[in-house]
Amino acid sequence: MRRVLMCPPDHFGVEYEINPWMSRGRRVDRAKAERQWRDLYDLLGDKLGLSISLLRPRKGLPDLVFTANAGLVHGDAFLPSNFRYMERRGEEPVFRQWFEKEGYRIRPLPPDLFFEGEGDVLRVGDRLFAGYRFRSDIRSHEWISKMLGLPVLSLELVDDRFYHLDTCFCPLSDDAAAYYPPAFDLYGRRVIDEGIRRKVLPPTDDALRFACNAVVADRKAVIPAGCGTFRKLLEGLGYEVWETELSEFIKAGGAAKCLTLFLD
Ligand code: ARG
């Protein structure tokens, strides 16, 4: 059974603007956010069969719900994030303490290297695909590769609406991934095309509804609502798919995957 970490949205909101989706003028409906988060939690537990650990929400850390950015877990090692923006740096000690308490080996990167965890580093088979430019530094990739002993393929992100890799790239299995080509430069597209055997390409409408920000485990996928074409593509490959509304979190620039961190 795969384990993930989530954090309830008690203190979630859009209180600053650090990506193009965020606007303090578009207020989050807290009750709606709680329902949407709960629905996602239920789907991940009941349908995907994930075991979910919870982090206690903290006042003043509205983006703590996006646990994918806590860092990167590999075996018993936890590589904590170094957030690019001040606004999120208060989350670092909270995540770190949780992993310390759970008995993980904390393996920090040099503090001057920005690195935003599983938001920017995703594994397909025995390789890591890592995004850089808007959040993580490309130099963080070399460290991660060395620390984990896995090859890393660096992908430049070129559209600031897709500022984390997990907004435009989603591993499906050991040799398959979904991705949205216009979020990458031509070279990055080639790296993905040549490096991954089977690719699923969501259309632009779906990509902008965060289609790639899906949680996938064992041929089952939970995807953001309104991604009908993407859903059919996945179903055509034999995946069982559930759509779920995440409109309140998209106001902060995140959806299903951002709200979860794989712990194994
Ligand atoms: N508001 C958050 C930020 O801009 C959203 C993070 C979404 N997380 C993700 N893994 N894509 O940092």
Side-chain angles (χ1 to χ4, degrees):
M1 191 190 257
R2 294 196 75 182
R3 289 178 60 218
V4 293
L5 178 68
M6 294 181 75
C7 173
D10 303 27
H11 302 294
F12 169 64
V14 176
E15 294 173 15
Y16 44 77
E17 298 170 4
I18 56 171
N19 69 55
W21 302 88
M22 300 176 94
S23 154
R24 269 166 299 183
R26 292 182 65 225
R27 291 197 65 78
V28 166
D29 181 331
R30 184 68 65 69
K32 220 167 155 184
E34 267 162 30
R35 277 198 304 277
Q36 294 177 354
W37 186 89
R38 185 76 214 185
D39 288 346
L40 175 67
Y41 176 92
D42 289 344
L43 283 171
L44 297 182
D46 300 343
K47 306 295 185 192
L48 263 56
L50 301 178
S51 149
I52 304 171
S53 298
L54 289 180
L55 176 73
R56 182 168 59 82
R58 307 290 207 283
K59 216 173 157 191
L61 297 177
D63 274 337
L64 195 67
V65 289
F66 297 113
T67 50
N69 300 127
L72 189 66
V73 176
H74 184 76
D76 65 349
F78 173 66
L79 282 54
S81 286
N82 295 328
F83 283 100
R84 178 172 293 269
Y85 291 109
M86 260 314 289
E87 285 85 342
R88 293 199 66 182
R89 286 191 199 143
E91 298 173 38
E92 290 173 11
V94 176
F95 285 129
R96 192 182 170 126
Q97 275 158 28
W98 188 87
F99 282 91
E100 263 164 10
K101 237 178 66 202
E102 292 288 311
Y104 286 84
R105 275 189 307 130
I106 313 292
R107 304 196 54 199
L109 271 69
D112 60 323
L113 285 187
F114 297 128
F115 163 61
E116 298 205 354
E118 207 175 52
D120 270 330
V121 180
L122 294 160
R123 184 169 175 165
V124 181
D126 51 12
R127 282 178 304 176
L128 299 171
F129 288 79
Y132 68 93
R133 182 166 150 186
F134 297 113
R135 297 299 181 86
S136 300
D137 280 326
I138 191 169
R139 286 183 308 140
S140 69
H141 299 173
E142 195 185 325
W143 277 84
I144 293 159
S145 176
K146 250 191 247 148
M147 283 157 89
L148 303 186
L150 289 173
V152 176
L153 297 174
S154 297
L155 304 167
E156 179 166 355
L157 302 173
V158 299
D159 179 335
D160 65 354
R161 294 170 301 177
F162 301 96
Y163 57 95
H164 276 139
L165 183 67
D166 70 359
T167 62
C168 50
F169 181 92
C170 177
L172 298 173
S173 69
D174 280 355
D175 68 352
Y179 87 109
Y180 180 58
F184 301 88
D185 67 2
L186 286 177
Y187 187 76
R189 293 180 208 177
R190 220 173 80 199
V191 169
I192 297 171
D193 279 337
E194 290 172 4
I196 297 176
R197 202 162 66 85
R198 289 178 303 150
K199 276 84 59 183
V200 177
L201 276 51
T204 299
D205 287 353
D206 288 10
L208 285 168
R209 289 190 200 101
F210 276 79
C212 293
N213 206 251
V215 183
V216 182
D218 209 13
R219 298 210 153 255
K220 295 185 175 133
V222 173
I223 68 172
C227 301
T229 306
F230 184 57
R231 176 191 189 130
K232 290 203 185 85
L233 291 170
L234 290 180
E235 286 173 344
L237 287 176
Y239 284 79
E240 219 180 323
V241 182
W242 292 268
E243 282 182 62
T244 195
E245 188 56 66
L246 290 162
S247 59
E248 298 315 293
F249 297 97
I250 290 178
K251 290 177 184 169
K257 176 63 197 74
C258 305
L259 293 165
T260 60
L261 173 74
F262 279 105
L263 294 174
D264 46 28

